[in-house]
Amino acid sequence: MKHLTILVPEVQTGPNTLSCIVGTYHIFTEANRYYHQNHDKTMFKIELVGLSKQSVFLNGLLAVMPQKEITDIIKTDLIVIPAVAPNFTALDAQNTPFLDWIRNQYTHGANVASMCTGAYILASTGLLEKKNCSIHWSAETNFKQLFPNITMKTDSIITDEEGICTNGGGYSFLHLLIYLVEKYYDRPTAIYCSKIFQIDLDRQQQSDFVIFNGQKRHGDEMIIKAQEYIEHNFAEKISIQQLSERFTVGRRNFDRRFIKATGNTPIEYLQRVKIESAKKELEISGKTVNEVMYEVGYSDSKAFREIFRKVTGLSPLAYRNKYNKSAMK
């Protein structure tokens, strides 16, 4: 029988931390039951593992009592790291004992999976260096700044590389769990769990869930003004060259500072602002795709569709049909 460790952080927790812990325990317990029923054996021994006998969540409203402490676990096969608080800057000292333990278990053959912002703990081990990583789209900029040698794949629900899995944000951890059930049990067990828990099977992207808000906590006042200019005038024809001249900065230096501050080139930023406005119109208005396209400053329908699909993973029409109830009538 394999061993599954569900980590229980000591501090830096949030509401989704508890959801990830309970969800993992629930789904793997049901997968065990179904697999035993069909194969007469249990795949995993499942244990909640922490740094003490009790961890408190949600300002003391709830508490989790891990079955074991990490010092009791000599060998495990799969480690699941739940989401942590999104305002992460560095791992709290109370949680740092996890790092050596995770590294040691991985070295001795364990696989590791992080859920949403649990990627912060995983990245702090160094095991994600030069690997791909998915995380909640709202944490991408902060994560890039803290861990610049990790390749972000925030359009993906799941990454899986060299025994290390990561996944996107919110309740997309449920898709990771179904993926892990198929990986460790089999396809029939994954299908069964997807039906019992009503989780879409094989979901691959989180792109259409992204809400673009330009990162402005970078401290470069000139770039903040440039961002605000773009956001207020995106429907007009904006020349990036003229924009740099507006702020009396050479184009190359302007581009360099813009990328450093926002993580996007000025052109990418302008495109993201246009597409975010288009998404909102497609969600709530009765306007046609072409009307929305012209309103946000595009005149080439092919270019608009290509950029929209690149950003959201859907065509403008598919996006409207998915999110606008009036479009489905």
Side-chain angles (χ1 to χ4, degrees):
M1 188 188 303
K2 296 181 183 295
H3 185 270
L4 167 61
T5 294
I6 305 172
L7 289 190
V8 181
E10 192 72 11
V11 291
Q12 293 182 292
T13 59
N16 211 29
T17 311
L18 195 58
S19 302
C20 292
I21 292 169
V22 174
T24 303
Y25 188 86
H26 194 183
I27 289 176
F28 269 88
T29 297
E30 185 62 21
N32 264 351
R33 189 199 64 76
Y34 180 82
Y35 193 80
H36 185 272
Q37 176 182 304
N38 289 278
H39 301 277
D40 200 29
K41 69 175 185 177
T42 301
M43 183 64 70
F44 277 102
K45 180 179 181 181
I46 306 164
E47 291 189 305
L48 274 60
V49 178
L51 298 169
S52 63
K53 297 188 183 300
Q54 179 174 290
S55 292
V56 178
F57 294 81
L58 302 177
N59 298 318
L61 290 176
L62 297 168
V64 173
M65 291 174 283
Q67 295 149 290
K68 296 280 181 68
E69 296 182 27
I70 59 169
T71 51
D72 299 325
I73 306 297
I74 306 303
K75 177 75 170 66
T76 192
D77 297 286
L78 175 61
I79 302 166
V80 172
I81 305 171
V84 295
N87 57 341
F88 185 97
T89 54
L91 197 64
D92 190 280
Q94 287 179 260
N95 276 329
T96 54
F98 281 131
L99 304 187
D100 285 340
W101 184 84
I102 293 170
R103 282 191 292 262
N104 181 61
Q105 292 294 333
Y106 179 74
T107 300
H108 288 87
N111 285 359
V112 187
S114 69
M115 297 172 158
C116 188
T117 47
Y120 283 123
I121 292 180
L122 180 54
S124 298
T125 67
L127 295 176
L128 271 176
E129 289 289 298
K130 303 195 183 325
K131 291 186 178 69
N132 295 321
C133 177
S134 183
I135 197 171
H136 196 288
W137 51 264
S138 67
E140 180 180 10
T141 300
N142 183 45
F143 191 92
K144 279 182 179 178
Q145 292 172 342
L146 295 173
F147 305 104
N149 295 325
I150 297 171
T151 304
M152 300 306 300
K153 295 287 184 180
T154 47
D155 58 331
S156 301
I157 291 288
I158 297 164
T159 68
D160 187 346
E161 190 174 358
E162 298 179 22
I164 296 177
C165 291
T166 66
N167 96 283
Y171 283 82
S172 71
F173 74 83
L174 296 170
H175 300 288
L176 173 64
L177 291 174
I178 297 299
Y179 175 84
L180 292 173
V181 167
E182 180 172 2
K183 182 174 181 176
Y184 287 97
Y185 295 79
D186 53 27
R187 181 74 172 178
T189 306
I191 292 172
Y192 169 79
C193 288
S194 77
K195 290 180 177 180
I196 286 294
F197 294 102
Q198 300 188 33
I199 304 166
D200 287 339
L201 198 64
D202 299 329
R203 182 172 178 84
Q204 300 296 320
Q205 291 188 314
Q206 61 173 334
S207 305
D208 59 309
F209 295 120
V210 174
I211 301 170
F212 181 71
N213 289 306
Q215 141 62 358
K216 294 190 178 76
R217 293 183 294 174
H218 46 71
D220 190 327
E221 291 299 323
M222 185 270 285
I223 297 301
I224 291 174
K225 290 178 181 177
Q227 289 174 264
E228 290 173 346
Y229 182 87
I230 290 172
E231 290 163 8
H232 291 134
N233 300 278
F234 65 86
E236 308 299 326
K237 188 172 182 179
I238 296 177
S239 160
I240 304 302
Q241 178 63 42
Q242 291 175 352
L243 188 59
S244 67
E245 292 171 359
R246 180 185 184 89
F247 294 102
T248 63
V249 180
R251 174 64 189 272
R252 289 181 64 183
N253 189 34
F254 180 77
D255 285 357
R256 180 187 60 78
R257 285 175 63 176
F258 203 101
I259 293 168
K260 181 180 179 182
T262 69
N264 298 113
T265 68
I267 290 292
E268 289 170 342
Y269 195 89
L270 175 59
Q271 290 175 343
R272 294 296 299 272
V273 171
K274 285 176 179 284
I275 297 303
E276 190 61 29
S277 178
K279 285 165 57 183
K280 290 175 182 174
E281 286 299 315
L282 292 170
E283 289 165 6
I284 63 173
S285 78
K287 296 172 185 173
T288 67
V289 170
N290 279 348
E291 286 173 331
V292 171
M293 175 188 76
Y294 291 126
E295 279 192 10
V296 299
Y298 284 99
S299 56
D300 184 331
S301 60
K302 182 181 178 183
F304 175 65
R305 288 196 304 271
E306 287 178 351
I307 293 169
F308 194 98
R309 185 181 290 278
K310 179 182 177 183
V311 171
T312 68
L314 298 171
S315 70
L317 185 59
Y319 187 91
R320 187 187 67 173
N321 290 342
K322 182 173 182 178
Y323 289 103
N324 192 324
K325 283 187 177 180
S326 62
M328 295 185 286
K329 292 179 182 178

